[in-house]
Structure formats: structure tokens, C-alpha cells
Amino acid sequence: MTAAPKVLIVSDLHLDRDPGPTLSKFLQFLDGPARDAAALYILGDLFEYWVGDDAGFPAGERLADALAELPVPVTFQHGNRDFLLGADYAERAGVKLAPEVLPVELAIGGALLMHGDSLCTADVEHMRFRALVRDAEWQRGFLARPLAERIAEAERVRAISREAGQMKASDIMDVHPEAVAEVLRSHGRSLLIHGHTHRPAIHHFQVDGRPCMRCVLPSWDELPGYLELDADGPRLLTLDGRNYPVNSGLPAGLA
Ligand code: MN
């Protein structure tokens, strides 16, 4: 055992319905670094889409087994793709479902964990979609539809969002500085950890004169990696434990 308990944080694995290379990498991660962690947090978009706990997608089933046997507490937060992941699956996988903004106490102090899409407030279209699909009544209606229909709808939405993503200006797809400041301010925290934007980095900035930090997790579609955090602070790492390559050319500010 190492001295300081480490916490590991991942997001945006975007696992497909069927087992593929990313699932294999994550299973290795669970069997490797995750075993020595004090806790594992998964901040959403673990799956490319989720149409209900009854769907029985092979990748999800394999992962549930692996998570269930991991002797480490695992917490899952919904992303904008797997927002329908429910209590049944969570129970089978032995993971705790967390609210959209999760305050946690870490070795370096209090932090907020979020998926991150709710911070992209300039993306008006996404905010509208989000408000719809996070509505309990809409969710009940969707989950009551036949599985084949739900899958077809998820595929349709995925295609639209891919297309839209290519059209949108890059700053619209990022978190909004005001939304970041506001969530830190309202929770009285100075550390925010999130995924979603696929722009891995550790940013330092100020909110109301208070030094703050924002850690952005990598997407596993690009280069898989994770955030490791202990009393020495946060580190972005690749799966082989090297420093994650991040763009550090510009002064970050809130960017
Ligand atoms: Mn996302």
C-alpha cells in the first residue's frame, strides 16, 4: 500500500453496445490502477448511449460484472449520453448513482464533480435537448417504448449530435466561464473536475479573487486516460501511467 490514498476519476469512455478495444482497456484499468485506489469516480458518458437498464447490451453486462467485483467504491454520474442509466444497472454493477453536481472531500480539499455538459451554456440547442431528456416524465415515456424503437431513436440522436458538433464553433462546445465561476461560487469550492468537452487539461484561474482549479478529463475515443488525485494534487495520466499530453501553449484563464 502506498502512503496517500489515491482517488481515480474517469469520464467519456463512450463504450459501444458490443465489447470493443475501449472496453478491453477499461477492464485492464479496473484490474490495474483502480485496484489500488481509495475510490473510483466515473463522471458520465461511460456509454455512447443508454436506452434502459433492460437493454442488456453485451458491453454493459460485461462491465457490470467487472465493476461489481472491484473491491473499491465506485460512483457514477450521468453524462449527456447515458443519462438513462438507472438504479437496476447501478445495483448490478455495485456503483452508487450521484447527482449532477457532486461535492466530495479529497486529499487536497473539497471538490465538485460534474459531467460538464450543463456548463456549456452557450450551446443553446444542447441546453434545450438537455432540459427535455432530463425530465422525469419524458424519461418514463421513452423507457416505456419497445427496445428496438429506443435504439433507433438513440442512433438518430447520435447522428444528429455528431453532425451538429462539426458545425458549431469550438467555444460554444466548451464550458462557459461564467457557468464555471457560478457553480464554484454557489458551492463555495475552488476545485472543479469534469469531462464532456474532450479537452483534457488542468486550468488555474480565479473566481472573486480566489485561486481555483479546473481539471478536465480526457475522452477515451482519442487518447484514454484518467485523473489521479492524492495529497500531492491532481495529475492527468495515460493508461500506462505517463503524464497525459495536454495543450499548454496559452495562458488558460477560464478557457
Ligand atoms: Mn458528454
Side-chain angles (χ1 to χ4, degrees):
M1 279 296 284
T2 45
K6 279 186 234 171
V7 162
L8 304 185
I9 308 175
V10 299
S11 75
D12 300 278
L13 283 87
H14 297 277
L15 296 173
D16 280 317
R17 293 164 51 179
D18 293 313
T22 307
L23 177 65
S24 304
K25 285 175 197 161
F26 191 48
L27 293 176
Q28 276 174 35
F29 173 80
L30 294 178
D31 215 23
R35 298 227 151 224
D36 300 322
L40 171 66
Y41 293 92
I42 303 171
L43 307 192
D45 286 0
L46 174 60
F47 297 100
E48 181 65 7
Y49 57 73
W50 194 262
V51 296
D53 293 356
D54 59 335
F57 291 159
E61 297 307 307
R62 283 232 355 234
L63 184 54
D65 293 343
L67 287 169
E69 73 171 37
L70 182 71
V72 166
V74 181
T75 304
F76 173 84
Q77 215 166 21
H78 293 105
N80 55 300
R81 295 174 172 279
D82 49 16
F83 54 86
L84 284 172
L85 194 146
D88 284 358
Y89 184 81
E91 199 187 327
R92 268 188 285 143
V95 309
K96 205 173 151 198
L97 289 179
E100 185 189 324
V101 180
L102 178 66
V104 290
E105 301 309 317
L106 301 174
I108 57 164
L112 292 182
L113 309 184
M114 300 179 75
H115 176 60
D117 64 311
S118 62
L119 300 169
C120 300
T121 48
D123 191 346
V124 177
E125 226 176 305
H126 176 65
M127 297 310 280
R128 212 177 293 140
F129 172 76
R130 198 191 135 76
L132 172 72
V133 301
R134 294 259 180 164
D135 178 72
E137 204 168 314
W138 183 91
Q139 294 195 356
R140 266 194 302 276
F142 182 82
L143 291 172
R145 291 164 65 182
L147 182 58
E149 264 183 42
R150 283 180 267 154
I151 292 173
E153 181 64 11
E155 290 283 356
R156 195 182 66 84
V157 169
R158 175 162 72 159
I160 291 172
S161 108
R162 275 202 182 145
E163 221 168 278
Q166 286 159 5
M167 301 287 289
K168 282 176 192 163
S170 106
D171 60 335
I172 288 181
M173 307 281 287
D174 205 354
V175 296
H176 195 288
E178 263 318 304
V180 169
E182 188 44 41
V183 76
L184 287 170
R185 193 180 286 132
S186 65
H187 287 81
R189 300 284 166 118
S190 51
L191 173 58
L192 171 65
I193 301 169
H194 71 83
H196 180 67
T197 61
H198 300 194
R199 298 173 193 210
I202 296 180
H203 299 288
H204 297 267
F205 55 98
Q206 297 203 337
V207 173
D208 308 333
R210 222 156 26 95
C212 290
M213 201 176 0
R214 179 167 69 91
C215 304
V216 189
L217 301 164
S219 143
W220 286 45
D221 293 334
E222 286 139 43
L223 177 63
Y226 61 102
L227 189 80
E228 177 183 271
L229 200 146
D230 58 21
D232 296 330
R235 287 172 299 281
L236 277 172
L237 301 172
T238 58
L239 294 185
D240 55 6
R242 293 166 202 263
N243 286 326
Y244 197 96
V246 294
N247 296 327
S248 54
L250 294 167
L254 279 182

